Each structure stands twice: as structure tokens, then as C-alpha cells.
Amino acid sequence: MAIRERLKKDPRLVPIGINIGKNRDTSNERAYEDYLFTLRELYDLGDYFVLNVSSPNTPNLRELQMGENLGVILSEVWRFRRFKPYKPILVKLAPEISGEDMVEIAKICEENDIDGVILTNTLKVEGGGLSGKPLFEISNERIREWVKISKIPVIGVGGIFSLEDVQKKLSLGAVLTQVYTGFVYRGWELFSQP
Ligand SMILES: Cc1cc2nc3c(=O)[nH]c(=O)nc-3n(C[C@H](O)[C@H](O)[C@H](O)COP(=O)(O)O)c2cc1C
């Protein structure tokens, strides 16, 4: 596995989170096999793992967030990690998930001892995913909603461009935050200037 070789060479100056999706040509019924394969291959090299069931770029991947599909993946992952050294495993959700769907997902995550959720992935738009500022309020809304229904900790992501944005997500109940698009636009400056 190419990524395994690359990770083995990493100087490990910071914790490594490994984000896992399924292959495009794997059916949703067999998706759990892809998640397990990658977890097995890389478990010793990651500090935490993210089950990405919310990328808008892989056809049908987001259906894995729902009901039985998610239940199968999470229960297989639960069985896999049962006798392994503890490492946090998180689930990453789409910003479109809310209401009863979110309640059901929270229940499935709790039943399978998921350590955290990442809210949110990109918004699905024609041709791909929308990130950055247009996502800020929507992902905030999802954090607000999640903390009302579940005690599973939230990592907040979506549209962070400043310290104030980070503080907003923390004030809503996120315990950690992540940034992608803001880093693309502002580079390292983002971390040194508010
Ligand atoms: C070019 C690009 C690639 C991304 N690839 C992934 C991915 O492979 N897995 C994933 O879970 N999220 C992926 N994301 C979503 C981001 O991790 C993040 O959840 C989202 O962009 C919202 O944060 P932001 O507004 O800070 O970019 C990607 C986003 C962008 C813009």
C-alpha cells in the first residue's frame, strides 16, 4: 500500500489523523470491506481515524451515512477495534444531515462507541463540494444541533478563516476545530494573526 510506505517515513512531528473513504467501484453493500481494509493496513501508523461517509465526490458515498449502511460499517469497525490498542475513531458527516437523520446517526454512533464526529464535510453542489466561507454558518448550525442530541464530542470544521471563527465553533460546543480552505487562502499567516 503506497500510503503505508509514505507514512512510515513521516517524522511524526504532529499527530497523524487518517481519513478513510471507500473506492468508487465498491458497492455500498461492500463498503465496510474497504473501511476495514484501510484500518487494518494503517492502524499502527495513525493516531486517530476518520470514517468519511460524506464526500460529495464519490458517487453514492453519502448514502453510507444512513441507517443500515452506517450500522454495518460501524459495527464491523467496532468488532475490528475490540482487541486493538485504543485509538480514537470518528465519523465525518455532510452539512445536509440534520433533524431525524442526525438523531438516527447519533444513535448508531453511540451504539458503536464512536469517539467523535466531524461536522462538516463540504456542501454538495453541481460538479463537486462547496467549502470555505459559504459553509461557515451551515456547519455552525449542525454543531448546535448535534450537541443538543448527543454527548459524542464534535470537531468543528467549515469556513474557518480567523481565530474568531475558531472561537465561534468552540462556543457552540465543538471541542476541537479543523481548517482547510482558510489555510489555502491565508497560509501560515492564518495561525499567527487573528
Ligand atoms: C479540495 C478539497 C478536498 C477535500 N478532501 C476531503 C477528503 O478527502 N476527505 C474528507 O473527509 N474531507 C475532504 N474535504 C473536506 C474538508 O476536509 C472540510 O471538511 C471542508 O472543506 C470544510 O472545511 P473548510 O471550509 O475549512 O474547507 C476536502 C475539501 C476540499 C476543499
Side-chain angles (χ1 to χ4, degrees):
M1 200 186 203
I3 190 70
R4 181 168 176 85
E5 297 312 310
R6 284 177 62 184
L7 282 171
K8 274 203 301 204
K9 290 189 201 130
D10 186 89
R12 315 201 70 84
L13 301 176
V14 293
I16 302 289
I18 298 180
N19 182 297
I20 308 172
K22 78 166 180 74
N23 288 312
R24 264 173 186 266
D25 52 5
T26 303
S27 68
N28 280 355
E29 289 69 38
R30 301 191 63 174
Y32 73 91
E33 294 174 9
D34 282 6
Y35 289 92
L36 282 183
F37 175 83
T38 311
L39 266 182
R40 238 182 249 122
E41 288 285 317
L42 301 179
Y43 198 74
D44 58 324
L45 294 174
D47 295 298
Y48 72 93
F49 295 85
V50 181
L51 306 172
N52 174 16
V53 283
S54 49
S55 169
N57 300 316
T58 308
N60 307 327
L61 183 106
R62 288 156 38 119
E63 289 165 18
L64 296 178
Q65 292 172 116
M66 301 315 305
E68 199 182 335
N69 288 338
L70 187 67
V72 169
I73 295 169
L74 297 196
S75 57
E76 290 290 335
V77 167
W78 185 89
R79 275 150 44 108
F80 163 81
R81 72 193 297 212
R82 203 162 28 150
F83 301 118
K84 296 271 184 304
Y86 171 74
K87 296 196 175 183
I89 298 186
L90 296 87
V91 171
K92 184 160 174 180
L93 300 177
E96 289 87 349
I97 294 292
S98 69
E100 283 175 19
D101 290 342
M102 190 184 269
V103 172
E104 186 183 2
I105 290 170
K107 186 165 164 274
I108 298 169
C109 288
E110 279 157 17
E111 283 166 0
N112 291 286
D113 297 332
I114 288 301
D115 298 285
V117 289
I118 304 190
L119 301 173
T120 65
N121 211 316
T122 49
L123 255 180
K124 188 175 171 65
V125 290
E126 211 181 317
L130 183 68
S131 67
K133 285 189 189 273
L135 193 59
F136 184 67
E137 281 305 333
I138 304 167
S139 69
N140 287 353
E141 189 46 48
R142 297 305 170 245
I143 297 169
R144 248 184 228 112
E145 210 180 330
W146 182 274
V147 298
K148 279 192 206 139
I149 61 173
S150 176
K151 295 222 171 343
I152 295 181
V154 177
I155 298 183
V157 55
I160 291 177
F161 276 70
S162 66
L163 178 61
E164 197 186 323
D165 295 342
V166 169
Q167 285 164 339
K168 179 70 191 178
K169 290 200 194 294
L170 296 179
S171 75
L172 296 174
V175 295
L176 291 169
T177 59
Q178 293 179 337
V179 53
Y180 189 140
T181 306
F183 186 50
V184 174
Y185 280 92
R186 294 195 63 195
W188 292 110
E189 182 216 45
L190 175 66
F191 302 104
S192 53
Q193 288 173 21

